[in-house]
Amino acid sequence: MSEKYKNKTLAEIINIEQAKNLLNKNLRKGDRGLLDYRDIKIETGTIKKAFGSATVNLGDTVVVAGVNFELGTPFIDTPNNAILLVEGEILPTASVEAEAGPPDEHEIEISRVIDRGIRESGMINFEKYVIIPGETVIKIFVDFNIINDDGNIIDAANLAAVAALATAEIPKVEYIREHIDEVNNINIKEIPRESFKVEEIPIANTIGIFDGKVLVDPDAAEEEVVDTLITFTHLSTGEICSVQLLKGGLTYEEVFKTLDVAYQKNLELREILKNNGISL
Amino acid sequence: MSNNFKRIDGRTPDQLRPYKIRAGILKNADGSAEIKLGKNWIVVGVYGPKEHFPKFEALQDRAILFCRYHMAPYSTTERKSPKPSRREIELSKVIRSALEEAVILERFPEMSIDIYIEVLQAEGSTRVASITAASVALAEAGIPMKDMVVGCSAGKVNGKIVLDIGETEDKEGEADLPIAIMPNLKKVVLLQMDGKLTHEEFKEAFEMALKGALELYEEQKRALKDLIEKMKELEGESNE
Amino acid sequence: MNRNEKIVIPGEGIGNIHYKGREEGFIYKIKRGVSVSTHLGVANISNKRIDIIPYKYIYVPKIGDYVIGFIVGYAPNGWIVEIGSYVKGFLPANDVIKNEKFDPKKVDLDKYLKLGDLVGAIIQDVNKFSNILLTINSSKENINTKHLGKLTNYFIIKVHTTKLPRIIGKKGSMIKIIKKKIDGDIIIAQNGVILYKGSYENFKLLKSILQIIIKYTYASGLTGKIAEMLGIKLNETYENGINDKGVEKDE
């Protein structure tokens, strides 16, 4: 298939061909095993202006996530719930193909997968951040940007979003309730804050299948050559809270095979988060 | 106990809503189909293959599959804005990606095949119903495929794993697992889940959705084979 | 429908049988010994051979096909011809202009063929990017040279290419019956364009016959029934199967 090289640079083509040759021999760049993640570096509080933030390096993939809080009106069908908005963008700096402009379907899919993980996991107690039911609630914004894209954006962005949320500080709900009359005149950034308590930690693990072989944490070149990409998001309880088949198809058996690998790897990433001070 | 379990619409846990598929319903489209699944009413039109424009975007080794999943403003209880939402963009992508596994795109270099999915009335599990109808429309268009693609959902409602999640069940339920398969090749081509499921529940729901998909596959077959059956009865009609 | 016939849909297995089908094939080989139909259609399985008559398929232009189309555009060195396929055809100027040396700067293409002109042509070449090169010159015996180049004063019918084998019939039996009933010139092109030169009454009759054939494509003994309707005795027509103007036979 020559067409996958359309719009690719020579360096990228070489990387892709190299990845294919290596995977055929069960090898990966940097002597990585099929079930090994690249090095992960998590740093929180990297953006001082946000209420919460984190920068994650997953090999050469770099993601920055920021959390912001605002006051807003709840949705009509959920008057007793705070609002969560998760949006991600691949910045034009991220790769040759990345383009500025409104999010494309790839960016939307990634954002929605991470959104579902956070939303469905019960990570956030949405009822806790209601000021006046049906009128005023806290809007929770989680924005992430891919600064450099070397594949497996979902796992990296999920770690960044989770780390930013888990270390965020939220304006005190009690304080806002007491000062609700003057709330239009005060700057939300100046309201006294408290720790944003998360109730769960969702971990996303993306699994690739190449010629029947299961591998984790595909880099950008590997993403091009694998037949299948699937993401499972797990909770601390071992339950699954989100699944997304991103590319290709898989046999019925492979569904459960990749699920098991994702579960094992979720434990590993959970441990790394814990080592960075992020746990329940 | 479980035998007495009844769902909000009176179905048993492993029962599909009433369904009906019709092929070749649109006169102008190269291929078309309609599915009714419960109150879901979805129409699909296929156009192509045709020359892809702009030309520089065309692929030299295969056709480009374009897919738009779209909900009509009146399809939901609250009016939906007609402009594509993020949800619709994501669903268009996962549906296309699933159908790409089946369509033999290599036969039509430089071409594009357009699939337009219009959800006229929505009542839960629209993405899998859409995919089921879209593959019938592609077959009706005479576009070569390795296999049909058929979708079905399962989920967890009130602690129980159930088949073919309806709208209320989706809102009130604990989990939703839509899948689509190629029934002869035994491959999963769409798999999503949101909510909370243990590994055991995931397996149970997956297997239930699989069974539901195979039942709908029989309906796809019937709808397509009917087209040919209709063209065989010359004698009956010539007497009119 | 006889016992060896079976309606198939895409993905339905047809086993490891020697395949005999049109176009690029209506089967897909999954692996050794396992093949499936890629189309909705009727599979005729006999003597370890299989022939699939699809309900519909996409017409893929092939070298040697006789097609009829309209001039819809100019290129510096020829004409763009709409032939009802997924891609337009190209008819080079030097194929049409033979007596003088072709010079794109001097020659007025309109003198030869204009926008909207109907032309009959043969596909000379199809490259892998689906570019179609046409010619109006043929050395083939079975192509009537009168049907090449500009065609005027014809009634036009467009049918789906999938229906052509039925309209022509086994060894040309169906079209022969039709021609027996309808005087005048009937041209069938492989892109599904059918031309008729004759009276309007006859054209209307031709159209209604074609409609019946299209509607009952899979009726068994359709040729006999059409003959009966038109009051034609069959035994004459089955003699000497004809191959109408290069159009593929039903077998």
Side-chain angles (χ1 to χ4, degrees), chain A residues 153-179:
Chain A
I153 291 174
I154 290 191
D155 294 10
N158 183 75
L159 284 175
V162 164
L165 273 170
T167 55
E169 295 200 311
I170 186 165
K172 280 184 176 168
V173 173
E174 273 314 308
Y175 181 90
I176 303 170
R177 281 200 188 113
E178 283 161 22
H179 297 77

Side-chain angles (χ1 to χ4, degrees), chain C residues 84-97:
Chain C
S85 174
Y86 45 74
V87 64
K88 291 180 178 61
F90 174 67
L91 179 62
N94 56 17
D95 187 82
V96 179
I97 306 165

Side-chain angles (χ1 to χ4, degrees), chain A residues 1 3 6 105 108-109 111-112 116 120-121 234 239-246 248-250 252, chain B residues 56 58-62 86 90 93 96 101 187-189 191-197 199 202:
Chain A
M1 292 269 281
E3 275 305 305
K6 203 164 178 165
E105 64 170 30
I108 287 173
E109 181 177 38
S111 306
R112 287 179 56 84
R116 284 200 282 270
E120 302 293 337
S121 63
H234 275 93
E239 288 168 300
I240 315 159
C241 73
S242 163
V243 182
Q244 181 91 343
L245 177 55
L246 300 159
L250 67 178
Y252 306 156
Chain B
F56 68 87
L59 300 179
Q60 296 185 338
D61 60 352
R62 65 191 151 96
R86 287 166 68 86
E90 185 203 343
K93 186 258 162 187
R96 184 195 71 225
E101 292 295 299
K187 265 193 137 179
V188 181
V189 291
L191 178 61
Q192 293 185 296
M193 190 227 114
D194 65 304
K196 271 187 204 173
L197 291 178
H199 281 206
F202 177 80

Side-chain angles (χ1 to χ4, degrees), chain B residues 107-122:
Chain B
R107 296 235 178 125
F108 307 105
E110 306 265 334
M111 304 294 136
S112 58
I113 299 167
D114 296 345
I115 304 166
Y116 297 103
I117 297 166
E118 298 296 336
V119 180
L120 301 178
Q121 184 162 270

Side-chain angles (χ1 to χ4, degrees), chain B residues 30-235:
Chain B
D30 293 319
S32 61
E34 169 196 86
I35 186 167
K36 288 186 175 169
L37 174 68
K39 290 195 186 73
N40 284 317
W41 179 21
I42 300 161
V43 169
V44 182
V46 169
Y47 285 85
K50 55 189 181 187
E51 244 177 314
H52 184 82
F53 288 106
K55 201 98 180 127
F56 68 87
E57 278 181 2
L59 300 179
Q60 296 185 338
D61 60 352
R62 65 191 151 96
I64 289 174
L65 201 61
F66 171 83
C67 173
R68 187 181 91 138
Y69 162 98
H70 179 250
M71 287 176 101
Y74 46 77
S75 65
T76 47
T77 316
E78 264 174 59
R79 181 179 179 274
K80 190 214 145 276
S81 159
K83 70 167 200 244
S85 65
R86 287 166 68 86
R87 176 180 169 276
E88 286 170 300
I89 293 169
E90 185 203 343
L91 294 196
S92 299
K93 186 258 162 187
V94 294
I95 291 169
R96 184 195 71 225
S97 169
L99 294 170
E100 273 173 348
E101 292 295 299
V103 178
I104 308 173
L105 295 166
E106 300 77 29
R107 296 235 178 125
F108 307 105
E110 306 265 334
M111 304 294 136
S112 58
I113 299 167
D114 296 345
I115 304 166
Y116 297 103
I117 297 166
E118 298 296 336
V119 180
L120 301 178
Q121 184 162 270
E123 200 211 11
S125 302
T126 55
R127 79 194 66 181
V128 284
S130 296
I131 229 168
T132 302
S135 100
V136 172
L138 284 164
E140 205 266 323
I143 289 167
M145 289 195 283
K146 294 171 205 165
D147 202 349
M148 296 294 285
V149 178
V150 58
C152 191
S153 74
K156 186 179 171 188
V157 180
N158 296 323
K160 181 99 191 156
I161 302 298
V162 294
L163 183 67
D164 183 27
I165 301 287
E167 190 179 16
T168 323
E169 289 175 327
D170 186 25
K171 273 184 191 146
E172 292 169 7
E174 294 98 270
D176 179 16
L177 172 78
I179 71 164
I181 57 163
M182 296 198 282
N184 295 293
L185 296 177
K186 297 186 168 50
K187 265 193 137 179
V188 181
V189 291
L190 179 146
L191 178 61
Q192 293 185 296
M193 190 227 114
D194 65 304
K196 271 187 204 173
L197 291 178
T198 64
H199 281 206
E200 292 69 36
E201 288 167 336
F202 177 80
K203 192 161 198 275
E204 192 188 339
F206 178 82
E207 274 158 11
M208 196 182 263
L210 211 58
K211 257 180 73 185
L214 291 174
E215 185 179 334
L216 287 163
Y217 173 56
E218 293 303 316
E219 174 67 2
Q220 286 184 319
K221 260 192 203 170
R222 189 206 54 72
L224 285 170
K225 292 186 175 181
D226 261 12
L227 291 174
I228 287 186
E229 294 291 349
K230 262 192 234 152
M231 299 177 122
K232 293 197 302 196
E233 293 147 16
L234 176 60
E235 270 158 320

Side-chain angles (χ1 to χ4, degrees), chain A residues 28-99:
Chain A
R28 304 175 83 179
K29 198 172 149 187
D31 288 337
R32 187 149 70 107
L34 292 179
L35 300 182
D36 293 340
Y37 266 76
R38 289 167 288 178
D39 284 341
I40 300 173
K41 200 176 118 201
I42 301 168
E43 229 182 311
T44 55
T46 46
I47 307 290
K48 301 285 177 272
K49 301 218 164 168
F51 288 88
S53 61
T55 302
V56 168
N57 291 263
L58 174 60
D60 288 331
T61 290
V62 186
V63 186
V64 176
V67 172
N68 276 299
F69 299 105
E70 275 178 19
L71 293 176
T73 321
F75 294 121
I76 297 168
D77 52 345
T78 52
N80 293 311
N81 282 346
I83 291 172
L84 171 71
L85 289 153
V86 180
E87 275 184 46
E89 221 179 298
I90 300 171
L91 299 183
T93 56
S95 72
V96 181
E97 289 112 84
E99 279 173 16

